[in-house]
């Protein structure tokens, strides 16, 4: 019977205290420093060397020919569904054209919603 007194006392205390959870979709939660989220790619900085595709362990980066963009004609395309967000592409990029942001909202209803953010 002694345990029931503790249970009731704890239940009443939890009813009047603040909740432990966060109302996630309604409250924006900032990711911690160093979080590796959605890839941001700066097209104007890219040299088209292909180093990012070479070091990608999950083969989520493919180099495609794009004559309209560069005179040399190669540009990386990122498949975020295959990416393991290790950050090697950003680390090895000699032009620092790739950056991993704190954006963790990687869900979408269309295939275009889960692509890397390309900045011209």
């Amino acid at each position: 019977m002694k345990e029931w007194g503790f249970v009731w006392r704890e239940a009443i205390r939890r009813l009047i205290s603040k909740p432990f959870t966060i109302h996630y979709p309604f409250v924006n939660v900032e990711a911690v420093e160093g979080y590796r989220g959605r890839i941001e790619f700066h097209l104007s900085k890219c040299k088209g060397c292909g180093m990012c595709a070479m070091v990608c362990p999950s083969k989520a980066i493919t180099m495609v020919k794009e004559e309209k963009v560069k005179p040399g004609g190669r540009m990386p395309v990122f498949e975020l569904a295959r990416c393991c967000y290790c950050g090697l592409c950003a680390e090895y990029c000699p032009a620092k054209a790739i950056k991993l942001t704190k954006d963790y909202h990687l869900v979408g209803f269309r295939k275009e919603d889960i692509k890397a953010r390309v900045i011209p």
Side-chain angles (χ1 to χ4, degrees):
M1 221 41 177
K2 195 175 187 180
E3 300 88 29
W4 285 105
F6 172 74
V7 170
W8 282 108
R9 190 175 37 211
E10 187 68 24
I12 292 170
R13 192 176 84 180
R14 294 293 177 200
L15 279 173
I16 60 175
S17 66
K18 287 176 59 175
F20 289 117
T21 59
I22 299 170
H23 298 287
Y24 164 65
F26 308 110
V27 177
N28 190 14
V29 180
E30 183 72 24
V32 296
E33 190 63 38
Y35 180 79
R36 298 183 302 234
R38 184 182 299 272
I39 295 172
E40 188 174 271
F41 173 63
H42 295 270
L43 189 59
S44 60
K45 293 180 182 179
C46 182
K47 296 178 181 177
C49 65
M51 183 65 77
C52 54
M54 284 189 267
V55 299
C56 184
S58 59
K59 304 294 182 212
I61 305 171
T62 54
M63 298 299 287
V64 295
K65 285 195 170 215
E66 188 69 40
E67 292 297 329
K68 297 178 223 171
V69 179
K70 296 281 178 197
R74 291 189 345 149
M75 169 184 137
V77 174
F78 302 90
E79 293 181 45
L80 295 185
R82 295 182 77 180
C83 184
C84 62
Y85 301 97
C86 61
L88 287 176
C89 57
E91 187 177 327
Y92 280 91
C93 182
K96 301 297 179 200
I98 303 169
K99 177 184 166 189
L100 275 76
T101 63
K102 290 183 181 182
D103 184 15
Y104 56 86
H105 300 155
L106 300 172
V107 66
F109 294 108
R110 298 180 318 229
K111 194 172 184 178
E112 294 82 32
D113 294 339
I114 56 169
K115 288 191 175 179
R117 186 175 297 126
V118 177
I119 299 172

